[in-house]
Amino acid sequence: AQSVTQLGSHVSVSEGALVLLRCNYSSSVPPYLFWYVQYPNQGLQLLLKYTTGATLVKGINGFEAEFKKSETSFHLTKPSAHMSDAAEYFCAVSDPGGYNKLIFGAGTRLAVHP
Amino acid sequence: NAGVTQTPKFQVLKTGQSMTLQCAQDMNHNSMYWYRQDPGMGLRLIYYSASEGTTDKGEVPNGYNVSRLNKREFSLRLESAAPSQTSVYFCASSPQVFGNEKLFFGSGTQLSVL
């Protein structure tokens, strides 16, 4: 069975600092991997996804993530945090051979302070 | 640009009452999903519909029923609400049901069962 672990339910950074949100997955087959963001009182929006090909994936709003098969990780990074990045971030995995039934991590709430 | 529309946005029920959450999408997507979001647990799939006329159970289907009324609409029914069903419910859609598809989310329904 697939699973996703997000290390750290809350992360706090200063504006302009590096953002690093950690995601590790468990899957019996190479999975598809996603990062979604949820702003207050809104639904989730896709930040980026890895399906096949290049392991460094660039997304919206300056975020990127790298798929590392040997470490079963898909950490999300952004070089310089902005106040508008404050939100909850979810890592998710799906089985390429199955239907689009995403398995989500518990989420990491990012706070950005001046 | 409506996207995925959910109604109602808020609802309070008493234990044992029934209600239906409505979801409609205007993007001509084939696949639709219902998730629930609970603190510290991320999102969990309740039911999904790969295409019009089909529905299947997700990770946590007990206590729920769904209807794919047509290609646009996918409703979630609680026949006898329980306090354990207090949650935020999200409807989502995707063009197809394949595992690499982006999900488009509604803004959610916050349900409290007393």
Side-chain angles (χ1 to χ4, degrees):
Chain A
Q2 295 176 312
S3 65
V4 176
T5 302
Q6 291 184 240
L7 189 61
S9 58
H10 290 81
V11 170
S12 181
V13 300
S14 299
E15 191 173 20
L18 171 72
V19 175
L20 171 60
L21 305 182
R22 299 177 186 274
C23 172
N24 289 87
Y25 69 89
S26 173
S27 178
S28 58
V29 297
Y32 294 144
L33 294 160
F34 304 80
W35 276 99
Y36 280 84
V37 60
Q38 184 180 30
Y39 298 104
N41 300 314
Q42 295 185 27
L44 280 70
Q45 304 171 34
L46 181 68
L47 269 180
L48 50 80
K49 65 178 180 179
Y50 169 79
T51 54
T52 58
T55 56
L56 181 62
V57 180
K58 295 187 184 300
I60 62 172
N61 301 337
F63 284 93
E64 62 182 35
E66 186 171 10
F67 169 56
K68 293 187 176 181
K69 184 178 178 181
S70 60
E71 299 177 8
T72 61
S73 68
F74 191 57
H75 301 331
L76 181 71
T77 60
K78 181 174 180 178
S80 178
H82 192 273
M83 298 294 288
S84 61
D85 294 327
E88 189 156 21
Y89 293 80
F90 293 92
C91 182
V93 61
S94 73
D95 180 356
Y99 290 144
N100 196 8
K101 296 185 289 183
L102 291 181
I103 303 296
F104 284 87
T108 297
R109 187 168 297 278
L110 176 67
V112 182
H113 52 85
Chain B
N1 285 349
V4 179
T5 303
Q6 292 182 235
T7 55
K9 292 191 181 300
F10 301 94
Q11 184 71 48
V12 178
L13 294 178
K14 295 180 179 179
T15 298
Q17 287 185 316
S18 63
M19 79 160 297
T20 299
L21 307 184
Q22 306 287 354
C23 175
Q25 52 90 10
D26 62 1
M27 296 173 283
N28 200 35
H29 286 171
N30 285 305
S31 306
M32 299 185 73
Y33 313 80
W34 276 105
Y35 283 88
R36 61 178 287 174
Q37 183 181 25
D38 301 293
M41 302 189 73
L43 280 77
R44 292 178 292 168
L45 182 64
I46 304 171
Y47 271 93
Y48 69 101
S49 170
S51 60
E52 184 179 357
T54 70
T55 60
D56 281 289
K57 295 177 181 179
E59 186 182 355
V60 289
N62 291 344
Y64 305 96
N65 286 301
V66 291
S67 295
R68 183 74 183 267
L69 305 171
N70 47 55
K71 191 171 185 179
R72 290 186 65 249
E73 298 173 288
F74 188 38
S75 63
L76 178 71
R77 183 162 178 83
L78 287 70
E79 291 290 353
S80 179
S84 62
Q85 295 178 304
T86 293
S87 187
V88 181
Y89 291 85
F90 287 99
C91 178
S93 69
S94 64
Q96 301 290 346
V97 75
F98 306 122
N100 60 348
E101 292 279 357
K102 169 183 176 180
L103 292 183
F104 294 77
F105 284 84
S107 57
T109 295
Q110 190 165 327
L111 176 67
S112 295
V113 183
L114 307 178

